[in-house]
Amino acid sequence: MTFDLFGDEPRTWREELAPGAVVLRGFALPHVDALLAALGDVTAVAPFRQMITPGGYRMSVTMSGCGRYGWVSDHSGYRYDPLDPTSSQPWPAMPESFHLLARDAAAEAGFPGYEPDACLINRYVPGARLSLHQDKDERDQVAPIVSVSLGLPAMFLFGGLHRNDPTVRIPLAHGDVVVWGGPSRLRYHGVLPLKEGCHPLLGAERINLTFRKVR
Ligand code: MD3
Ligand code: FE
């Protein structure tokens, strides 16, 4: 007699959100330990910090990054910068575990040969949010963006090509990977304020890795 009734349920499955946008549920789960170890190495060199928007607001999400470029926001605007303004040093190299996961996920979603040159790391604590925006600072707008969710779950907002288009809500959980390419690449998106909670591995936070090809 076995009580493991659901032992054959796959831990990972695919959901097509829109043309070019695919959620790979649980895709990062086998890699979480390696990702968290590498994340600790990266943030020891490039600690999480609050960026200031060009409008003078302090973002609730704290950010770090690795790879050849990091995303920087300050009073003068947004840019991808090869130097971390906190240290005036290059951003830490992209860990191999990050790069391999991004490549695998992109290939799985139909974008073989993905070579991201930047990984932005967003950290959310309860209440932190990301308002609706487009990612259009990358010179290469054909390569997909790959995002990896770790820790507390979040409600993601996925809109259209215009700010006022209707949005759909997509729950993103620990281990989910989303590949945003093709016609979805320039759609507005955001993250609702993170709910209180305690994740067994990460505690009261959510980490999102977003891989991009900037140049
Ligand atoms: C859909 N980050 O860093 S990742 C960002 O969860 C950002 O931290 C969110 O939006 C986060 O810019 C969402 C998912 C994401 C990233 C880029 C997209 C979704 C996207 C580009 C186009 C459409
Ligand atoms: Fe974004």
Side-chain angles (χ1 to χ4, degrees):
M1 179 72 176
T2 171
F3 292 95
D4 188 16
L5 295 176
F6 303 101
D8 294 330
E9 290 274 287
R11 293 173 84 216
T12 159
W13 68 96
R14 148 198 304 261
E15 292 171 15
E16 312 273 344
L17 288 180
V22 185
V23 191
L24 304 172
R25 296 287 181 195
F27 193 83
L29 287 176
H31 310 284
V32 165
D33 291 348
L35 295 174
L36 291 179
L39 178 69
D41 295 341
V42 167
T43 57
V45 176
F48 288 110
R49 76 294 304 268
Q50 273 177 308
M51 303 274 188
I52 306 292
T53 67
Y57 292 97
R58 188 174 289 272
M59 295 179 69
S60 58
V61 172
T62 57
M63 296 181 165
S64 177
C66 59
R68 285 176 53 77
Y69 303 97
W71 186 82
V72 174
S73 177
D74 59 24
H75 291 279
S76 67
Y78 310 122
R79 65 184 182 277
Y80 280 100
D81 201 314
L83 298 183
D84 174 354
T86 300
S87 64
S88 305
Q89 296 295 308
W91 296 92
M94 195 181 298
E96 192 176 23
S97 56
F98 280 29
H99 182 250
L100 288 176
L101 175 62
R103 256 186 92 78
D104 272 11
E108 181 74 22
F111 300 94
Y114 184 51
E115 285 291 343
D117 54 11
C119 175
L120 240 86
I121 307 169
N122 296 331
R123 178 176 184 265
Y124 297 75
V125 293
R129 61 192 282 268
L130 198 60
S131 56
L132 215 58
H133 67 279
Q134 285 175 299
D135 289 15
K136 53 180 184 190
D137 299 332
E138 300 76 21
R139 198 179 296 159
D140 186 335
Q141 293 183 352
V142 175
I145 289 182
V146 172
S147 90
V148 179
S149 293
L150 298 169
L152 287 179
M155 193 59 82
F156 180 76
L157 288 179
F158 191 38
L161 292 176
H162 305 281
R163 182 175 287 282
N164 292 323
D165 289 347
T167 56
V168 294
R169 293 173 173 216
I170 301 155
L172 291 179
H174 179 70
D176 290 348
V177 178
V178 195
V179 181
W180 316 87
S184 292
R185 175 67 180 74
L186 289 175
R187 287 172 66 161
Y188 276 88
H189 57 278
V191 178
L192 291 181
L194 196 75
K195 290 199 171 144
E196 296 284 351
C198 183
H199 186 273
L201 282 179
L202 282 114
E205 68 178 45
R206 168 178 188 255
I207 300 284
N208 189 263
L209 312 176
T210 70
F211 295 90
R212 295 121 196 279
K213 184 150 175 56
V214 172
R215 299 252 147 83

